[in-house]
């Protein structure tokens, strides 16, 4: 069996996850807040990559964006918790299509001065002015996926150098490799949603027997306010709650969230969509999961 490509950034990211653990008292126990809050702040992307669920013929692209009200609510609640973890604009979308992204980053920086703010982009909308504006508004790090070729990757690296960014402020990820090199991506079947994509990855017929720590450290919010169990759940099979109607802390520590963590931390993936998912789930977050155990 061919060995899967593993993104070299995962090692650095795993250290950040462990270093950013913040404990809070809940029901008499000290438990961790999410160390990463991922915001999928729209329903649209300018690309339909073959290894992405968006390449499926029935995938619906929605040019809708997160409201200032919802984003402000998130920031207010995190400010009340003195949150110091990572806020990442990423998810199922291209964040730079949203013209309001600079205001969102500025809002996060204003309310959460000690947080680490990141953005993941394919680099297509980037130019020097926009790149500078992102950091002027409080961005800490930009992760750029170069999908076309090496020339494109070098161009993006030069752009970051021109903007006088430090090495710890950007990563250009070379993701233009061939299929037999996994496109330079840590591929997954996106919890079963790659069945109809251009580059098909089958759903598992038998669930993996190892634990998954992702729900122990990640809070995933989409632009509609839905909080998903996992950033790999593109089909939105498990929705833990909606931030428009509930508090972040109540969703994070809800019976549903705690039950799912308990099962996954004990290597029980026998429920939808985890039963068909091929994500390893143990690259980071073990320390977070131990608190819940």
């Amino acid at each position: 069996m061919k060995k899967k490509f593993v993104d070299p950034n995962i090692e650095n990211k795993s250290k950040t996850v462990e270093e950013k653990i913040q404990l809070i008292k809940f029901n008499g126990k000290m438990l961790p807040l999410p160390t990463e809050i991922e915001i999928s702040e729209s329903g649209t992307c300018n690309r339909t990559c073959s290894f992405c669920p968006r390449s499926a013929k029935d995938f619906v692209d929605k040019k809708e964006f997160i409201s200032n009200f919802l984003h402000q609510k998130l920031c207010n609640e995190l400010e009340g918790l003195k949150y110091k973890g990572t806020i990442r604009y990423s998810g199922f979308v291209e964040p730079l299509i949203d013209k309001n992204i600079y205001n969102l980053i500025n809002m996060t920086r204003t309310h959460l001065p000690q947080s680490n703010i990141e953005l993941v982009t394919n680099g297509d909308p980037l130019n020097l002015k926009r790149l500078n504006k992102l950091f002027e508004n409080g961005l800490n790090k930009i992760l750029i996926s170069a999908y076309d070729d090496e020339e494109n990757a070098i161009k993006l690296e030069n752009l970051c150098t021109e903007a006088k960014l430090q090495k710890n402020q950007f990563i250009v990820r070379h993701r233009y490799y061939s299929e037999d090199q996994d496109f330079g991506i840590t591929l997954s079947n996106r919890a079963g949603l790659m069945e109809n994509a251009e580059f098909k990855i089958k759903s598992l017929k038998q669930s993996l027997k190892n634990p998954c720590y992702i729900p122990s450290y990640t809070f995933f919010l989409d632009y509609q306010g839905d909080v998903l169990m996992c950033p790999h759940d593109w089909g939105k099979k498990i929705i833990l709650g909606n931030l428009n109607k509930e508090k972040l802390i109540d969703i994070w520590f809800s019976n549903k969230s705690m039950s799912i963590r308990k099962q996954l931390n004990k290597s029980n993936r026998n429920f939808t969509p985890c039963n068909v998912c091929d994500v390893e789930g143990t690259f980071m977050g073990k320390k977070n999961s131990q608190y819940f155990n």
Side-chain angles (χ1 to χ4, degrees), residues 47-227:
R47 286 188 178 238
T48 51
C49 301
S50 64
F51 43 80
C52 172
R54 286 183 172 276
S55 65
K57 292 180 180 178
D58 58 349
F59 193 95
V60 181
D61 183 80
K62 295 183 179 180
K63 290 179 173 55
E64 299 171 357
F65 303 89
I66 193 170
S67 68
N68 281 332
F69 169 83
L70 176 59
H71 193 272
Q72 182 73 63
K73 182 176 184 292
L74 172 68
C75 289
N76 288 344
E77 292 185 19
L78 291 174
E79 183 178 23
L81 295 167
K82 296 182 173 60
Y83 187 72
K84 301 174 185 176
T86 293
I87 309 288
R88 182 177 299 111
Y89 297 91
S90 177
F92 310 152
V93 304
E94 170 48 56
L96 292 183
I97 291 178
D98 187 356
K99 295 179 181 179
N100 195 38
I101 190 65
Y102 310 101
N103 295 327
L104 299 181
I105 292 170
N106 185 272
M107 191 188 299
T108 299
R109 176 55 67 221
T110 300
H111 287 276
L112 306 169
Q114 297 184 70
S115 67
N116 171 49
I117 307 175
E118 298 183 356
L119 182 141
V120 178
T121 175
N122 58 36
D124 291 348
L126 265 187
N127 56 33
L128 185 60
K129 182 180 178 181
R130 289 170 182 164
L131 185 57
N132 284 328
K133 192 174 180 180
L134 288 169
F135 283 88
E136 286 166 4
N137 279 282
L139 191 68
N140 289 103
K141 190 170 191 174
I142 188 166
L143 297 91
I144 311 172
S145 298
Y147 289 124
D148 295 332
D149 49 36
E150 186 176 12
E151 183 180 350
N152 173 237
I154 292 171
K155 180 182 176 182
L156 290 166
E157 287 169 356
N158 289 340
L159 181 65
C160 293
T161 301
E162 188 180 356
K164 295 183 172 58
L165 298 184
Q166 302 297 314
K167 288 187 176 180
N168 64 345
Q169 291 181 297
F170 72 94
I171 294 178
V172 176
R173 301 185 284 192
H174 295 232
R175 295 190 157 170
Y176 48 81
Y177 295 123
S178 60
E179 180 182 319
D180 62 352
Q181 294 175 294
D182 289 347
F183 307 101
I185 295 172
T186 308
L187 289 173
S188 82
N189 64 13
R190 299 298 187 183
L193 218 68
M194 287 297 292
E195 289 271 13
N196 299 318
E198 187 178 329
F199 178 75
K200 292 177 173 53
I201 305 176
K202 293 182 179 179
S203 300
L204 297 185
K205 293 183 179 179
Q206 188 173 2
S207 61
L208 296 178
K209 304 301 181 186
N210 53 285
C212 180
Y213 305 139
I214 295 172
S216 291
Y217 68 87
T218 300
F219 185 92
F220 187 96
L221 175 71
D222 84 351
Y223 69 101
Q224 295 171 314
D226 288 331
V227 178

Side-chain angles (χ1 to χ4, degrees), residues 220 226-230 233 235-241 256-257 260 263-264 271-274:
F220 187 96
D226 288 331
V227 178
L228 308 189
M229 174 199 66
C230 172
D233 184 14
K236 296 178 71 169
K237 299 295 183 182
I238 296 182
I239 297 176
L240 301 174
K256 188 174 184 179
S257 299
I260 288 170
Q263 292 179 75
L264 290 176
F271 57 93
T272 302
C274 300

